[in-house]
Amino acid sequence: MPEQDMSVDDALSDFTIREITLENLTKRVYVAGSGPGVLVMTEMPGISPHVARFSRWVRDAGFTVYMPSLFGRDGAVASADEGGQVFRKACVSAEFRAFAADESSPVTVWLRALARLAHEECGGPGVGAIGMCFTGNFALTMMLEPAMLAPVLSQPTLPLNDPAGLHIAPDELAAVRDRLEREDLTVLAYRFAGDKFCRAQRFAAYEQALGERFIGRVLPDEAANTDTAPFFSVHVASPHSVVTAHLIDEAGQPTIAARDEILAFFRQRLTADA
């Protein structure tokens, strides 16, 4: 993949823009690639060049990427003020219940439908998904969709006011746990050790809820990129975004190892010849 300047807006010109209506709700989705489907759900404050870069890595690994626009300006390097406004708007949106423990965000119903559509369009054993930050837990709730086989939780941040809270309804969590056991599936998750938004208590709660089906990776803080966009330098005062803003794109870096493990996880679960 050609070197990109992460400090300027990304035109996303190598993605096909689709307006997809599911569950009586229409959202813009950026699609690229071929092969089994993988949903990439953006972190705050939207589909940044870093999020798009990760989607291209998934595409280039042999998958069809579906990248829904959930908030913010698509492709933008948001200023600190703009990013803060996007965050505050999402916190009061009916689609996201940012402060709710033991409750799933309503938008996950639409995302499950998108996973189902991706499987219908792309074929293969099933689809994968990765959520990041604000969307970090969504891939777990999406396991209620039978087509979902490979869930990845990157720095899951919700609920914002409860470090040990799980942003999923108890009955849904029980159903997901039963499915993981029944189908011998696992959940991959990532965080930095000093992340102030996704703390150790949250991973401990996942481990208690899912047992050995939850595979949590904790990266050292010194593995995080310190050269970040304005939103992160002002509003995110700790290492946070494992495969996007805080990733160091150099061979041998722990964040690159995390990226490669995620791609291998998708390959293992979603390709028949893995």
Side-chain angles (χ1 to χ4, degrees), residues 7-27:
S7 66
V8 299
D9 290 357
D10 188 326
L12 305 175
S13 56
D14 51 336
F15 291 86
T16 298
I17 301 174
R18 295 173 57 184
E19 299 290 334
I20 296 179
T21 301
L22 301 163
E23 303 291 333
N24 298 313
L25 182 64
T26 301
K27 289 187 177 295

Side-chain angles (χ1 to χ4, degrees), residues 14-235:
D14 51 336
F15 291 86
T16 298
I17 301 174
R18 295 173 57 184
E19 299 290 334
I20 296 179
T21 301
L22 301 163
E23 303 291 333
N24 298 313
L25 182 64
T26 301
K27 289 187 177 295
R28 178 172 298 166
V29 181
Y30 294 84
V31 182
S34 60
V38 173
L39 276 64
V40 176
M41 294 171 284
T42 185
E43 65 189 357
M44 280 290 161
I47 299 175
S48 67
H50 288 93
V51 172
R53 178 179 65 178
F54 180 81
S55 287
R56 293 182 177 107
W57 281 330
V58 175
R59 174 200 66 192
D60 293 348
F63 301 99
T64 304
V65 170
Y66 291 74
M67 184 170 58
S69 177
L70 300 175
F71 38 72
R73 280 193 302 125
D74 301 338
V77 179
S79 68
D81 286 347
E82 180 186 4
Q85 290 172 5
V86 172
F87 175 74
R88 288 189 291 272
K89 183 178 180 181
C91 284
V92 298
S93 168
E95 288 192 305
F96 309 102
R97 292 177 182 158
F99 298 95
D102 299 329
E103 190 174 349
S104 302
S105 282
V107 73
T108 57
V109 174
W110 189 91
L111 291 166
R112 279 152 45 192
L114 181 61
R116 188 161 55 251
L117 175 68
H119 187 217
E120 292 170 358
E121 293 183 342
C122 300
V127 302
I130 178 170
M132 312 173 185
C133 175
F134 209 80
T135 68
N137 188 68
F138 293 177
L140 184 64
T141 305
M142 288 168 64
M143 288 299 290
L144 295 168
E145 164 53 47
M148 265 289 301
L149 295 179
V152 180
L153 285 55
S154 194
Q155 71 274 357
T157 300
L158 303 185
L160 293 170
N161 59 341
D162 183 356
L166 297 184
H167 192 66
I168 181 171
D171 60 330
E172 294 180 344
L173 180 60
V176 169
R177 171 62 188 263
D178 287 347
R179 185 186 176 205
L180 295 172
E181 293 285 354
R182 186 173 63 253
E183 299 182 27
D184 191 24
L185 299 174
T186 52
V187 178
L188 270 184
Y190 298 84
R191 61 178 292 271
F192 284 106
D195 191 341
K196 296 180 179 179
F197 297 94
C198 178
R199 299 177 183 267
Q201 296 98 309
R202 180 149 298 136
F203 271 30
Y206 282 125
E207 289 168 0
Q208 183 176 8
L210 301 176
E212 63 183 11
R213 299 295 164 183
F214 177 79
I215 301 172
R217 307 294 195 210
V218 182
L219 280 64
D221 290 349
E222 56 267 25
N225 188 2
T226 56
D227 181 16
T228 57
F231 173 80
F232 288 89
S233 59
V234 172
H235 296 293

Side-chain angles (χ1 to χ4, degrees), residues 255-273:
T255 48
I256 287 294
R259 178 205 66 183
D260 290 346
E261 184 179 44
I262 292 167
L263 296 178
F265 179 62
F266 289 151
R267 198 172 294 114
Q268 177 190 25
R269 288 294 179 190
L270 305 180
T271 58
D273 57 350

